[in-house]
């Protein structure tokens, strides 16, 4: 981490982390919700999710018990309340541990694999320091907190306006009056969920910009690297940093879809198209930042095709003159290494043509698609028999 920066406090000075840091992290540490490695774990995620969901749940039950009003009890039948205040909050907090390990591995690979020449190391250091300041910025978190406190007022009022029977409240004289559970959601649960989500979206923006900065640094890549990406295959870990965020967003969206589908009839084809569009959009947005490395990898591949192509042409022309045109004997050829050299050169050329210009593995695409798509299975289950859904999934995976 960068030291001496006001925006990068609340973090152990001996490590650089683009996940740890900022006022919220400092608050968790002071509350004793961080583990020795300064990352939240199962306990922290469970406590925050429990507070977020249980507070409006208790108030919904209490209001119903004391006033006889059963409308707030709709909270317990609302899948979006469970998805946002329990599942999503838990995922957004608990995901920080694996995300920190993966982004740290990506960053360390740039430094330990000597991909950056000594003269360009200051550029790498500056880019990492800037990303460190952004991801732990007090100003950014302050703005996110303000936005998270403001948005629920409009969202809950709109919900009550379009659905006067909602647990969030009811209309009185044309104005939305929140229930006790609605008040808890307005001032505690919804702000916490939205703050955590905004925090992850800010990280995504900051790390995306970091990828573009790193791609502009001259990298010492090898066209013959066995990973077929010039030595950048470790970047395939980058999109999976956001799997927890994608699962949380997918859970909230899926629950909202289920809530809306219960009130209207929508064809299964339309639901399938919406789910497919969501997964496709996620893949483009999350994997897209790695396209920043396409220019350098494309230049590496095209340059190697020309250079090694010239070498292969010269070698094979000489090979033909020596062993074919001259009419040399097969036994003489077998006694030399010329044939194996030709085969090795052909294998090198083939490997260059197989080189990928975007450092993404198939496993990464599947991982990201599953993180975004698994919550949507509940949506599909509302419109498809389980047997048909299982067959569709099996055909898609296999």
């Amino acid at each position: 981490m960068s030291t001496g920066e006001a925006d990068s406090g609340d973090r152990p000075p001996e490590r650089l982390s683009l996940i740890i840091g900022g006022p919220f992290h400092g608050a968790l540490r002071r509350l004793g919700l961080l583990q020795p490695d300064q990352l939240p774990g199962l306990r922290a995620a469970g406590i925050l999710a429990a507070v977020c969901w249980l507070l409006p749940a208790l108030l919904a039950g209490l209001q119903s018990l004391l006033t006889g009003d059963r409308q707030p009890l709709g909270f317990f039948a609302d899948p979006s309340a469970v998805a946002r205040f329990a599942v999503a909050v838990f995922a957004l907090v608990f995901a920080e541990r694996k995300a920190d390990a993966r982004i740290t591995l990506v960053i360390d690979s740039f430094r330990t694999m000597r991909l950056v020449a000594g003269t360009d190391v200051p550029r790498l250091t500056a880019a990492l320091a800037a990303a460190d300041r952004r991801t732990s910025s007090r100003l950014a978190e302050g703005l996110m907190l303000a936005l998270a406190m403001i948005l629920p007022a409009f969202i809950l009022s709109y919900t009550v306006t379009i659905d006067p029977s909602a647990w969030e409240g009811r209309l009185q004289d044309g104005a939305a009056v929140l229930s006790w559970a609605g008040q808890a959601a307005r001032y505690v649960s919804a702000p916490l969920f939205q703050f955590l989500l905004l925090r992850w979206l800010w990280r995504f923006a900051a790390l995306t910009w970091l990828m573009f900065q790193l791609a502009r640094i001259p990298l010492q890549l090898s066209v013959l690297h066995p990973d077929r990406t010039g030595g950048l295959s470790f970047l395939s870990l980058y999109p999976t940093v956001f799997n927890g965020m994608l699962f949380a967003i997918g859970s909230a969206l899926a629950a909202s879809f289920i809530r809306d589908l219960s009130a209207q009839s929508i064809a299964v084809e339309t639901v399938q198209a919406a789910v497919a569009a969501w997964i496709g959009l996620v893949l483009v947005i999350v994997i897209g930042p790695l396209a920043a490395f396409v220019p350098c990898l494309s230049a590496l591949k095209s340059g190697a095709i020309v250079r090694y192509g010239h070498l292969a042409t010269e070698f094979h022309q000489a090979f033909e003159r020596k062993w074919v045109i001259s009419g040399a004997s097969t036994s003489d050829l077998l006694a030399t290494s010329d044939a194996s050299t030709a085969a090795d050169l052909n294998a090198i050329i083939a490997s260059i043509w197989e080189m990928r210009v975007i450092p993404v593995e198939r496993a990464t695409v599947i991982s990201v698609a599953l993180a975004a798509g698994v919550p949507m299975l509940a949506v599909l289950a509302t419109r498809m028999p389980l047997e048909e859904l299982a067959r569709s999934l099996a055909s898609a995976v296999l």
Side-chain angles (χ1 to χ4, degrees):
M1 67 163 280
S2 56
T3 57
E5 293 287 347
D7 282 353
S8 300
D10 301 320
R11 187 186 321 192
E14 66 276 6
R15 65 178 297 193
L16 185 147
S17 171
L18 302 184
I19 299 297
I20 299 174
F24 182 74
H25 173 268
L28 291 181
R29 178 168 53 80
R30 286 186 286 273
L31 291 172
L33 295 180
L34 297 182
Q35 295 187 0
D37 59 2
Q38 298 302 301
L39 286 163
L42 184 64
R43 177 170 169 268
I47 289 176
L48 290 177
V51 169
C52 200
W53 187 84
L54 282 176
L55 182 59
L58 291 173
L59 290 177
L62 185 62
Q63 183 177 12
S64 178
L65 180 64
L66 296 180
T67 66
D69 184 1
R70 300 187 61 82
Q71 182 172 332
L73 295 179
F75 174 85
F76 298 98
D78 183 5
S80 65
V82 177
R84 288 179 294 137
F85 302 153
V87 177
V89 168
F90 182 91
L92 291 170
V93 177
F94 189 66
E96 292 194 357
R97 176 169 299 279
K98 184 161 288 187
D100 180 74
R102 289 176 176 175
I103 195 63
T104 299
L105 182 59
V106 169
I107 291 170
D108 286 347
S109 294
F110 274 98
R111 298 188 292 192
T112 60
M113 294 176 65
R114 299 182 180 179
L115 294 175
V116 179
T119 54
D120 292 312
V121 168
R123 293 180 61 182
L124 173 64
T125 302
L128 295 177
D132 182 35
R133 290 192 297 271
R134 294 187 190 102
T135 55
S136 57
S137 169
R138 298 179 188 276
L139 175 61
E141 285 201 11
L143 293 175
M144 286 184 272
L145 179 60
L147 189 60
M149 292 300 298
I150 294 171
L151 284 178
F154 297 99
I155 295 174
L156 292 174
S157 295
Y158 176 74
T159 300
V160 173
T161 301
I162 64 174
D163 184 10
S165 64
W167 61 266
E168 290 91 340
R170 63 181 70 218
L171 288 176
Q172 291 184 3
D173 299 326
V177 177
L178 298 180
S179 64
W180 295 3
Q183 293 284 355
R186 160 69 180 87
Y187 292 105
V188 179
S189 302
L192 179 58
F193 162 67
Q194 291 178 9
F195 172 76
L196 292 173
L197 180 58
L198 288 171
R199 194 163 170 255
W200 267 103
L201 292 174
W202 171 246
R203 284 172 176 159
F204 176 74
L207 294 178
T208 295
W209 179 242
L210 175 62
M211 291 296 109
F212 280 92
Q213 287 182 302
L214 295 177
R216 288 200 295 265
I217 299 175
L219 300 176
Q220 301 185 107
L221 304 178
S222 172
V223 72
L224 300 181
H225 199 287
D227 69 1
R228 298 291 192 268
T229 54
L232 293 179
S233 60
F234 63 88
L235 284 174
S236 196
L237 285 174
Y238 168 77
T240 64
V241 168
F242 307 102
N243 279 358
M245 178 189 76
L246 296 175
F247 181 82
I249 297 175
S251 298
L253 284 177
S256 296
F257 287 163
I258 293 173
R259 181 173 176 173
D260 293 340
L261 289 173
S262 65
Q264 53 187 314
S265 177
I266 299 178
V268 64
E269 293 78 11
T270 302
V271 176
Q272 289 175 330
V275 172
W278 156 247
I279 296 175
L281 181 64
V282 163
L283 289 174
V284 170
I285 292 176
V286 177
I287 296 178
L290 294 183
F293 294 90
V294 169
C296 66
L297 289 174
S298 295
L300 179 67
K301 180 177 181 178
S302 59
I305 287 174
V306 173
R307 292 192 305 273
Y308 283 85
H310 287 168
L311 176 63
T313 298
E314 293 177 0
F315 177 86
H316 287 298
Q317 286 175 346
F319 185 92
E320 288 187 358
R321 287 194 300 267
K322 180 178 180 180
W323 297 108
V324 180
I325 298 176
S326 67
S329 66
T330 303
S331 59
D332 291 339
L333 172 61
L334 295 177
T336 70
S337 62
D338 287 2
S340 62
T341 301
D344 292 341
L345 184 57
N346 290 343
I348 290 174
I349 299 296
S351 70
I352 293 173
W353 279 102
E354 293 172 359
M355 179 181 168
R356 301 190 304 276
V357 296
I358 182 167
V360 178
E361 302 289 341
R362 182 169 180 263
T364 297
V365 176
I366 294 174
S367 176
V368 172
L370 287 175
V374 165
M376 294 297 169
L377 295 179
V379 179
L380 295 174
T382 64
R383 290 293 182 270
M384 298 175 64
L386 291 179
E387 183 178 351
E388 181 181 348
L389 178 58
R391 284 200 303 268
S392 299
L393 290 174
S395 62
V397 174
L398 302 177

PDB file of all heavy atoms in Angstrom, residues 119-145:
ATOM      1  N   THR A 119      13.711   0.267 -16.366  1.00  0.00           N
ATOM      2  CA  THR A 119      13.441   1.688 -16.602  1.00  0.00           C
ATOM      3  C   THR A 119      11.960   2.026 -16.502  1.00  0.00           C
ATOM      4  O   THR A 119      11.597   3.190 -16.329  1.00  0.00           O
ATOM      5  CB  THR A 119      13.946   2.084 -17.997  1.00  0.00           C
ATOM      6  OG1 THR A 119      13.361   1.200 -18.981  1.00  0.00           O
ATOM      7  CG2 THR A 119      15.464   1.991 -18.067  1.00  0.00           C
ATOM      8  N   ASP A 120      11.097   1.007 -16.629  1.00  0.00           N
ATOM      9  CA  ASP A 120       9.653   1.241 -16.570  1.00  0.00           C
ATOM     10  C   ASP A 120       9.042   0.863 -15.224  1.00  0.00           C
ATOM     11  O   ASP A 120       7.830   1.016 -15.040  1.00  0.00           O
ATOM     12  CB  ASP A 120       8.942   0.448 -17.675  1.00  0.00           C
ATOM     13  CG  ASP A 120       9.278   0.968 -19.057  1.00  0.00           C
ATOM     14  OD1 ASP A 120       9.213   2.187 -19.250  1.00  0.00           O
ATOM     15  OD2 ASP A 120       9.622   0.141 -19.932  1.00  0.00           O
ATOM     16  N   VAL A 121       9.867   0.357 -14.317  1.00  0.00           N
ATOM     17  CA  VAL A 121       9.350  -0.015 -12.992  1.00  0.00           C
ATOM     18  C   VAL A 121       8.700   1.168 -12.270  1.00  0.00           C
ATOM     19  O   VAL A 121       7.657   0.997 -11.617  1.00  0.00           O
ATOM     20  CB  VAL A 121      10.476  -0.640 -12.134  1.00  0.00           C
ATOM     21  CG1 VAL A 121      10.044  -0.762 -10.677  1.00  0.00           C
ATOM     22  CG2 VAL A 121      10.854  -2.007 -12.680  1.00  0.00           C
ATOM     23  N   PRO A 122       9.257   2.397 -12.362  1.00  0.00           N
ATOM     24  CA  PRO A 122       8.579   3.527 -11.719  1.00  0.00           C
ATOM     25  C   PRO A 122       7.159   3.747 -12.229  1.00  0.00           C
ATOM     26  O   PRO A 122       6.283   4.144 -11.456  1.00  0.00           O
ATOM     27  CB  PRO A 122       9.488   4.712 -12.060  1.00  0.00           C
ATOM     28  CG  PRO A 122      10.843   4.106 -12.215  1.00  0.00           C
ATOM     29  CD  PRO A 122      10.595   2.785 -12.869  1.00  0.00           C
ATOM     30  N   ARG A 123       6.910   3.479 -13.516  1.00  0.00           N
ATOM     31  CA  ARG A 123       5.558   3.611 -14.048  1.00  0.00           C
ATOM     32  C   ARG A 123       4.625   2.579 -13.417  1.00  0.00           C
ATOM     33  O   ARG A 123       3.473   2.880 -13.097  1.00  0.00           O
ATOM     34  CB  ARG A 123       5.564   3.455 -15.566  1.00  0.00           C
ATOM     35  CG  ARG A 123       6.259   4.570 -16.318  1.00  0.00           C
ATOM     36  CD  ARG A 123       6.227   4.338 -17.815  1.00  0.00           C
ATOM     37  NE  ARG A 123       4.863   4.283 -18.328  1.00  0.00           N
ATOM     38  CZ  ARG A 123       4.559   4.052 -19.610  1.00  0.00           C
ATOM     39  NH1 ARG A 123       5.540   3.822 -20.479  1.00  0.00           N
ATOM     40  NH2 ARG A 123       3.310   4.025 -20.007  1.00  0.00           N
ATOM     41  N   LEU A 124       5.126   1.358 -13.256  1.00  0.00           N
ATOM     42  CA  LEU A 124       4.336   0.311 -12.613  1.00  0.00           C
ATOM     43  C   LEU A 124       4.042   0.685 -11.173  1.00  0.00           C
ATOM     44  O   LEU A 124       2.889   0.576 -10.705  1.00  0.00           O
ATOM     45  CB  LEU A 124       5.092  -1.010 -12.672  1.00  0.00           C
ATOM     46  CG  LEU A 124       4.478  -2.180 -11.894  1.00  0.00           C
ATOM     47  CD1 LEU A 124       3.125  -2.549 -12.466  1.00  0.00           C
ATOM     48  CD2 LEU A 124       5.417  -3.389 -11.901  1.00  0.00           C
ATOM     49  N   THR A 125       5.048   1.143 -10.458  1.00  0.00           N
ATOM     50  CA  THR A 125       4.871   1.535  -9.058  1.00  0.00           C
ATOM     51  C   THR A 125       3.875   2.670  -8.928  1.00  0.00           C
ATOM     52  O   THR A 125       3.006   2.664  -8.036  1.00  0.00           O
ATOM     53  CB  THR A 125       6.223   1.958  -8.455  1.00  0.00           C
ATOM     54  OG1 THR A 125       7.150   0.874  -8.582  1.00  0.00           O
ATOM     55  CG2 THR A 125       6.074   2.317  -6.992  1.00  0.00           C
ATOM     56  N   ALA A 126       3.961   3.653  -9.818  1.00  0.00           N
ATOM     57  CA  ALA A 126       3.040   4.789  -9.767  1.00  0.00           C
ATOM     58  C   ALA A 126       1.610   4.363 -10.052  1.00  0.00           C
ATOM     59  O   ALA A 126       0.661   4.841  -9.407  1.00  0.00           O
ATOM     60  CB  ALA A 126       3.484   5.856 -10.768  1.00  0.00           C
ATOM     61  N   ALA A 127       1.426   3.458 -11.029  1.00  0.00           N
ATOM     62  CA  ALA A 127       0.077   2.989 -11.353  1.00  0.00           C
ATOM     63  C   ALA A 127      -0.544   2.236 -10.189  1.00  0.00           C
ATOM     64  O   ALA A 127      -1.731   2.423  -9.862  1.00  0.00           O
ATOM     65  CB  ALA A 127       0.126   2.099 -12.596  1.00  0.00           C
ATOM     66  N   LEU A 128       0.252   1.384  -9.520  1.00  0.00           N
ATOM     67  CA  LEU A 128      -0.263   0.633  -8.376  1.00  0.00           C
ATOM     68  C   LEU A 128      -0.578   1.556  -7.202  1.00  0.00           C
ATOM     69  O   LEU A 128      -1.584   1.375  -6.504  1.00  0.00           O
ATOM     70  CB  LEU A 128       0.756  -0.430  -7.956  1.00  0.00           C
ATOM     71  CG  LEU A 128       1.029  -1.540  -8.966  1.00  0.00           C
ATOM     72  CD1 LEU A 128       2.104  -2.478  -8.445  1.00  0.00           C
ATOM     73  CD2 LEU A 128      -0.252  -2.305  -9.279  1.00  0.00           C
ATOM     74  N   ALA A 129       0.276   2.558  -6.980  1.00  0.00           N
ATOM     75  CA  ALA A 129       0.041   3.501  -5.890  1.00  0.00           C
ATOM     76  C   ALA A 129      -1.225   4.298  -6.129  1.00  0.00           C
ATOM     77  O   ALA A 129      -2.009   4.556  -5.203  1.00  0.00           O
ATOM     78  CB  ALA A 129       1.242   4.427  -5.730  1.00  0.00           C
ATOM     79  N   ALA A 130      -1.453   4.706  -7.383  1.00  0.00           N
ATOM     80  CA  ALA A 130      -2.667   5.465  -7.704  1.00  0.00           C
ATOM     81  C   ALA A 130      -3.911   4.607  -7.503  1.00  0.00           C
ATOM     82  O   ALA A 130      -4.923   5.078  -6.962  1.00  0.00           O
ATOM     83  CB  ALA A 130      -2.589   5.968  -9.140  1.00  0.00           C
ATOM     84  N   ALA A 131      -3.845   3.340  -7.924  1.00  0.00           N
ATOM     85  CA  ALA A 131      -4.980   2.437  -7.713  1.00  0.00           C
ATOM     86  C   ALA A 131      -5.227   2.207  -6.229  1.00  0.00           C
ATOM     87  O   ALA A 131      -6.373   2.126  -5.775  1.00  0.00           O
ATOM     88  CB  ALA A 131      -4.723   1.108  -8.417  1.00  0.00           C
ATOM     89  N   ASP A 132      -4.145   2.125  -5.453  1.00  0.00           N
ATOM     90  CA  ASP A 132      -4.246   1.955  -3.999  1.00  0.00           C
ATOM     91  C   ASP A 132      -4.971   3.135  -3.370  1.00  0.00           C
ATOM     92  O   ASP A 132      -5.858   2.973  -2.528  1.00  0.00           O
ATOM     93  CB  ASP A 132      -2.841   1.806  -3.428  1.00  0.00           C
ATOM     94  CG  ASP A 132      -2.833   1.584  -1.936  1.00  0.00           C
ATOM     95  OD1 ASP A 132      -3.762   0.917  -1.441  1.00  0.00           O
ATOM     96  OD2 ASP A 132      -1.918   2.067  -1.267  1.00  0.00           O
ATOM     97  N   ARG A 133      -4.613   4.341  -3.812  1.00  0.00           N
ATOM     98  CA  ARG A 133      -5.265   5.537  -3.260  1.00  0.00           C
ATOM     99  C   ARG A 133      -6.742   5.588  -3.637  1.00  0.00           C
ATOM    100  O   ARG A 133      -7.589   5.959  -2.820  1.00  0.00           O
ATOM    101  CB  ARG A 133      -4.551   6.794  -3.759  1.00  0.00           C
ATOM    102  CG  ARG A 133      -3.157   6.993  -3.161  1.00  0.00           C
ATOM    103  CD  ARG A 133      -2.635   8.389  -3.463  1.00  0.00           C
ATOM    104  NE  ARG A 133      -2.477   8.614  -4.902  1.00  0.00           N
ATOM    105  CZ  ARG A 133      -1.373   8.337  -5.570  1.00  0.00           C
ATOM    106  NH1 ARG A 133      -0.335   7.789  -4.955  1.00  0.00           N
ATOM    107  NH2 ARG A 133      -1.296   8.587  -6.868  1.00  0.00           N
ATOM    108  N   ARG A 134      -7.051   5.202  -4.869  1.00  0.00           N
ATOM    109  CA  ARG A 134      -8.451   5.257  -5.308  1.00  0.00           C
ATOM    110  C   ARG A 134      -9.317   4.259  -4.550  1.00  0.00           C
ATOM    111  O   ARG A 134     -10.424   4.594  -4.116  1.00  0.00           O
ATOM    112  CB  ARG A 134      -8.535   4.978  -6.812  1.00  0.00           C
ATOM    113  CG  ARG A 134      -7.889   6.048  -7.678  1.00  0.00           C
ATOM    114  CD  ARG A 134      -8.175   5.792  -9.151  1.00  0.00           C
ATOM    115  NE  ARG A 134      -7.372   6.678  -9.988  1.00  0.00           N
ATOM    116  CZ  ARG A 134      -6.273   6.302 -10.629  1.00  0.00           C
ATOM    117  NH1 ARG A 134      -5.855   5.048 -10.534  1.00  0.00           N
ATOM    118  NH2 ARG A 134      -5.604   7.157 -11.367  1.00  0.00           N
ATOM    119  N   THR A 135      -8.845   3.020  -4.416  1.00  0.00           N
ATOM    120  CA  THR A 135      -9.681   1.985  -3.803  1.00  0.00           C
ATOM    121  C   THR A 135      -9.864   2.177  -2.299  1.00  0.00           C
ATOM    122  O   THR A 135     -10.755   1.573  -1.707  1.00  0.00           O
ATOM    123  CB  THR A 135      -9.086   0.590  -4.060  1.00  0.00           C
ATOM    124  OG1 THR A 135      -7.726   0.554  -3.604  1.00  0.00           O
ATOM    125  CG2 THR A 135      -9.135   0.256  -5.539  1.00  0.00           C
ATOM    126  N   SER A 136      -9.022   3.007  -1.673  1.00  0.00           N
ATOM    127  CA  SER A 136      -9.167   3.240  -0.227  1.00  0.00           C
ATOM    128  C   SER A 136      -9.432   4.713   0.076  1.00  0.00           C
ATOM    129  O   SER A 136      -9.196   5.170   1.183  1.00  0.00           O
ATOM    130  CB  SER A 136      -7.904   2.772   0.505  1.00  0.00           C
ATOM    131  OG  SER A 136      -6.754   3.438  -0.002  1.00  0.00           O
ATOM    132  N   SER A 137      -9.957   5.438  -0.896  1.00  0.00           N
ATOM    133  CA  SER A 137     -10.175   6.869  -0.755  1.00  0.00           C
ATOM    134  C   SER A 137     -11.292   7.187   0.250  1.00  0.00           C
ATOM    135  O   SER A 137     -12.404   6.664   0.150  1.00  0.00           O
ATOM    136  CB  SER A 137     -10.522   7.475  -2.114  1.00  0.00           C
ATOM    137  OG  SER A 137     -10.978   8.796  -1.987  1.00  0.00           O
ATOM    138  N   ARG A 138     -10.988   8.051   1.192  1.00  0.00           N
ATOM    139  CA  ARG A 138     -12.004   8.507   2.144  1.00  0.00           C
ATOM    140  C   ARG A 138     -13.071   9.332   1.439  1.00  0.00           C
ATOM    141  O   ARG A 138     -14.258   9.235   1.755  1.00  0.00           O
ATOM    142  CB  ARG A 138     -11.337   9.340   3.247  1.00  0.00           C
ATOM    143  CG  ARG A 138     -10.322   8.578   4.083  1.00  0.00           C
ATOM    144  CD  ARG A 138      -9.699   9.496   5.143  1.00  0.00           C
ATOM    145  NE  ARG A 138      -8.591   8.830   5.825  1.00  0.00           N
ATOM    146  CZ  ARG A 138      -8.725   8.018   6.853  1.00  0.00           C
ATOM    147  NH1 ARG A 138      -9.935   7.761   7.327  1.00  0.00           N
ATOM    148  NH2 ARG A 138      -7.680   7.454   7.409  1.00  0.00           N
ATOM    149  N   LEU A 139     -12.646  10.165   0.492  1.00  0.00           N
ATOM    150  CA  LEU A 139     -13.600  10.998  -0.240  1.00  0.00           C
ATOM    151  C   LEU A 139     -14.580  10.139  -1.022  1.00  0.00           C
ATOM    152  O   LEU A 139     -15.793  10.375  -0.998  1.00  0.00           O
ATOM    153  CB  LEU A 139     -12.846  11.941  -1.181  1.00  0.00           C
ATOM    154  CG  LEU A 139     -13.718  12.808  -2.109  1.00  0.00           C
ATOM    155  CD1 LEU A 139     -14.628  13.710  -1.288  1.00  0.00           C
ATOM    156  CD2 LEU A 139     -12.849  13.617  -3.065  1.00  0.00           C
ATOM    157  N   ALA A 140     -14.055   9.118  -1.715  1.00  0.00           N
ATOM    158  CA  ALA A 140     -14.922   8.248  -2.506  1.00  0.00           C
ATOM    159  C   ALA A 140     -15.927   7.529  -1.621  1.00  0.00           C
ATOM    160  O   ALA A 140     -17.123   7.470  -1.933  1.00  0.00           O
ATOM    161  CB  ALA A 140     -14.079   7.233  -3.282  1.00  0.00           C
ATOM    162  N   GLU A 141     -15.470   6.998  -0.493  1.00  0.00           N
ATOM    163  CA  GLU A 141     -16.389   6.294   0.406  1.00  0.00           C
ATOM    164  C   GLU A 141     -17.399   7.253   1.023  1.00  0.00           C
ATOM    165  O   GLU A 141     -18.551   6.887   1.254  1.00  0.00           O
ATOM    166  CB  GLU A 141     -15.612   5.551   1.494  1.00  0.00           C
ATOM    167  CG  GLU A 141     -14.932   4.293   0.994  1.00  0.00           C
ATOM    168  CD  GLU A 141     -14.609   3.315   2.103  1.00  0.00           C
ATOM    169  OE1 GLU A 141     -15.098   3.512   3.249  1.00  0.00           O
ATOM    170  OE2 GLU A 141     -13.871   2.352   1.843  1.00  0.00           O
ATOM    171  N   GLY A 142     -16.985   8.489   1.286  1.00  0.00           N
ATOM    172  CA  GLY A 142     -17.924   9.471   1.807  1.00  0.00           C
ATOM    173  C   GLY A 142     -19.034   9.766   0.813  1.00  0.00           C
ATOM    174  O   GLY A 142     -20.215   9.855   1.188  1.00  0.00           O
ATOM    175  N   LEU A 143     -18.668   9.914  -0.455  1.00  0.00           N
ATOM    176  CA  LEU A 143     -19.674  10.163  -1.486  1.00  0.00           C
ATOM    177  C   LEU A 143     -20.586   8.953  -1.665  1.00  0.00           C
ATOM    178  O   LEU A 143     -21.799   9.102  -1.854  1.00  0.00           O
ATOM    179  CB  LEU A 143     -18.983  10.503  -2.808  1.00  0.00           C
ATOM    180  CG  LEU A 143     -18.220  11.834  -2.842  1.00  0.00           C
ATOM    181  CD1 LEU A 143     -17.484  11.980  -4.162  1.00  0.00           C
ATOM    182  CD2 LEU A 143     -19.172  13.008  -2.627  1.00  0.00           C
ATOM    183  N   MET A 144     -20.000   7.746  -1.588  1.00  0.00           N
ATOM    184  CA  MET A 144     -20.802   6.531  -1.705  1.00  0.00           C
ATOM    185  C   MET A 144     -21.791   6.418  -0.549  1.00  0.00           C
ATOM    186  O   MET A 144     -22.958   6.040  -0.737  1.00  0.00           O
ATOM    187  CB  MET A 144     -19.898   5.301  -1.755  1.00  0.00           C
ATOM    188  CG  MET A 144     -19.174   5.122  -3.078  1.00  0.00           C
ATOM    189  SD  MET A 144     -18.203   3.593  -3.118  1.00  0.00           S
ATOM    190  CE  MET A 144     -16.657   4.187  -2.433  1.00  0.00           C
ATOM    191  N   LEU A 145     -21.342   6.760   0.651  1.00  0.00           N
ATOM    192  CA  LEU A 145     -22.234   6.703   1.814  1.00  0.00           C
ATOM    193  C   LEU A 145     -23.372   7.702   1.678  1.00  0.00           C
ATOM    194  O   LEU A 145     -24.534   7.382   1.975  1.00  0.00           O
ATOM    195  CB  LEU A 145     -21.435   6.978   3.091  1.00  0.00           C
ATOM    196  CG  LEU A 145     -22.233   6.971   4.398  1.00  0.00           C
ATOM    197  CD1 LEU A 145     -22.894   5.605   4.607  1.00  0.00           C
ATOM    198  CD2 LEU A 145     -21.343   7.325   5.582  1.00  0.00           C
TER     199      LEU A 145
END
